[in-house]
Amino acid sequence: MTGSARGRTGGSGYGERVPLVAAAVCPHPPLLVPEVAGAAAGELDELRAACAASVARLLAAGPDAIVLVGAGPATLSFRSADYGSLRAYGVDRQVRLWRVNCAGGERLPLSLTIGAWLLGRSGTGLPRFAHAIAADAPPQECVRVGAELVGAAADHRVALLVLGDGSACRGTKAPGYDDPRAQAYDDGVARALADADAEALLGLDPALSAELSAAGRAPWQVLAGAVRAAGGDWRGELGHHEAPYGVAYLVANWEPA
């Protein structure tokens, strides 16, 4: 599904043009990594392919650097040699953000660990940076962080890889059990992503999102803040939307219209 948003993103506080060239939205279940999924790896082949296509499209926009955004316990920036671990999911493997020739720590939350894995799988050698937004950050903070991320880019062309799952309450076997509000919530997010509708993402209620265990709410609102700061018209395309284990997984791309 594709759509375009006109007049929804507002102006930029950093001049007439901020060099945000594209954004991709992917989920971050650890089962995306085949070694974690084990014998069930094939069940997410379609999602894995959709994420790979979304990342490839992001890279095709010609950015100078990739900025990863995902939810975490606190709002933090990470060093280029920091890494995450899949040890908690049964695989003794480190996933490094980017550089390997300088000191780093095991600091990346799950969202950014999976984002780093997706970028590593793409084979890109582009510089990459990562920022966590607190899972409970209010929309105003998300907007500020999004604007700061693109404002800090100066003359560099940057692309955002935004990691976030939808609700975890889609059915009785879902991690958050069944909640009748979950389907409508996820459908609303899907429409916003398809239409590049920043205002709709900013309208997501933090309390409801938390009740539905929607880990993507804050990162999606950072995306909305970044697009607001960049200004101009944007178009979106929803590449994937399913909830195979009771958790909504959405994949999308946003580009300047």
Side-chain angles (χ1 to χ4, degrees), residues 75-89:
T75 298
L76 294 170
S77 297
F78 298 92
R79 295 173 295 186
S80 57
D82 285 337
Y83 55 90
S85 172
L86 298 172
R87 196 177 305 112
Y89 305 98

Side-chain angles (χ1 to χ4, degrees), residues 8-9 16 26 30 71 79-80 83 101 104-105 117 120 125 127 129 149-150 153 157 177-179 206 217 224 234 242:
R8 290 178 178 165
T9 59
E16 293 185 359
C26 291
R79 295 173 295 186
S80 57
Y83 55 90
N101 60 346
W117 179 81
F129 307 93
L149 290 181
V150 294
R157 292 165 53 86
Y177 197 63
D178 185 53
D179 192 310
R217 190 274 306 172
W234 287 72
E242 65 172 355

Side-chain angles (χ1 to χ4, degrees), residues 66-72 74-78 97 108-109 111-112 128-134 145 148-149 152 160-161 163 219 222:
I66 309 293
V67 178
L68 289 79
V69 179
T75 298
L76 294 170
S77 297
F78 298 92
L97 176 58
L108 300 182
S111 60
L112 297 176
R128 61 209 70 165
F129 307 93
H131 300 266
I133 181 74
V145 170
E148 289 177 352
L149 290 181
L160 296 182
L161 176 56
L163 291 309
V222 171

Side-chain angles (χ1 to χ4, degrees), residues 152-170:
D155 296 327
H156 295 90
R157 292 165 53 86
V158 299
L160 296 182
L161 176 56
V162 181
L163 291 309
D165 297 345
S167 75
C169 300
R170 297 275 293 276

Side-chain angles (χ1 to χ4, degrees), residues 99-161:
R99 295 189 177 182
V100 297
N101 60 346
C102 54
E106 186 179 315
R107 302 176 64 225
L108 300 182
L110 173 63
S111 60
L112 297 176
T113 299
I114 298 301
W117 179 81
L118 287 171
L119 282 177
R121 189 169 179 248
S122 76
T124 181
L126 286 176
R128 61 209 70 165
F129 307 93
H131 300 266
I133 181 74
D136 60 353
Q140 299 92 329
E141 180 181 347
C142 298
V143 169
R144 176 184 60 78
V145 170
E148 289 177 352
L149 290 181
V150 294
D155 296 327
H156 295 90
R157 292 165 53 86
V158 299
L160 296 182
L161 176 56

